[in-house]
Amino acid sequence: MVHVTSTVRPVAQPVSTITRARTAATKASSTAGTSSTTGTSTTAGAATAAGESTDSGAADFLALFTSKTTGSAASNPPPPQAPPPPAPTAQSVFGPNPWIGNPTGIGPNGATYSYNPYYFATAQTAATVAQMVGGKVVQSNQFTGSGGAFQQQQPNYMVQLADGRMINPGLVASFYDHGYPQSYVDMMVACEVQNA
């Protein structure tokens, strides 16, 4: 058994009503702006002699789809934008050699091993970083300490902050070695100082 609710069914309009509305709209749009024989203007939406309006709204609807041409102003292309500044490099900020070349250590058996140069800033790099963050340069053996079986051949130049915390300027210089923009490097340096 099927239940049908009459309120759900769409109400069909008689075809003659739609045809009359289209005809009236076409007449109204074709006579818009012309004068009648009595000298009065007849436009879509004007009242007829009997006082009834012939405006069906179709003329306004058709106006939505009528293209209008306007005079085009001389188009000027936008000026070319200046290219962004090149990303800073470690060499452009700290000089041609920001790190000590081939830092090494000696093990208890006398064997020599290498350290990552990023942890071994030169004295010049350390001085530049100290000036950037407001600290002073100190030397220390960060990997071996003192009196152990392993010995560093070169000390680490570190930057001691005003509150006594230390950061490695070689790591700060490495931030410039990845092609990051200056704003991003500044953020990384601030994080390094904050998390020291």
Side-chain angles (χ1 to χ4, degrees):
M1 174 179 242
V2 176
H3 295 282
V4 178
T5 306
S6 63
T7 58
V8 176
R9 291 187 207 156
V11 178
Q13 291 186 352
V15 175
S16 62
T17 304
I18 295 171
T19 306
R20 273 187 263 130
R22 284 186 185 158
T23 305
T26 305
K27 286 181 182 177
S29 65
S30 65
T31 60
T34 60
S35 299
S36 66
T37 56
T38 61
T40 58
S41 174
T42 306
T43 60
T48 60
E52 298 175 1
S53 175
T54 60
D55 185 8
S56 65
D60 292 336
F61 182 75
L62 290 173
L64 293 174
F65 298 102
T66 304
S67 64
K68 296 179 182 178
T69 58
T70 58
S72 63
S75 62
N76 293 331
Q81 293 182 352
T89 64
Q91 288 74 18
S92 68
V93 176
F94 303 105
N97 298 309
W99 302 279
I100 294 174
N102 194 23
T104 57
I106 298 176
N109 59 357
T112 302
Y113 54 91
S114 295
Y115 288 112
N116 183 342
Y118 277 170
Y119 292 99
F120 290 84
T122 61
Q124 179 183 347
T125 299
T128 304
V129 172
Q131 187 177 15
M132 289 167 61
V133 298
K136 66 178 182 176
V137 178
V138 295
Q139 289 185 12
S140 68
N141 291 332
Q142 290 293 304
F143 294 106
T144 60
S146 60
F150 292 87
Q151 296 179 2
Q152 290 180 221
Q153 296 296 99
Q154 299 85 11
N156 299 94
Y157 287 101
M158 301 293 288
V159 172
Q160 187 174 26
L161 303 173
D163 60 5
R165 295 177 299 141
M166 291 202 293
I167 62 171
N168 190 318
L171 292 178
V172 172
S174 74
F175 299 157
Y176 291 88
D177 211 25
H178 301 287
Y180 299 139
Q182 184 64 50
S183 59
Y184 189 71
V185 172
D186 291 343
M187 182 188 71
M188 293 176 72
V189 171
C191 287
E192 185 72 16
V193 169
Q194 181 181 358
N195 298 323

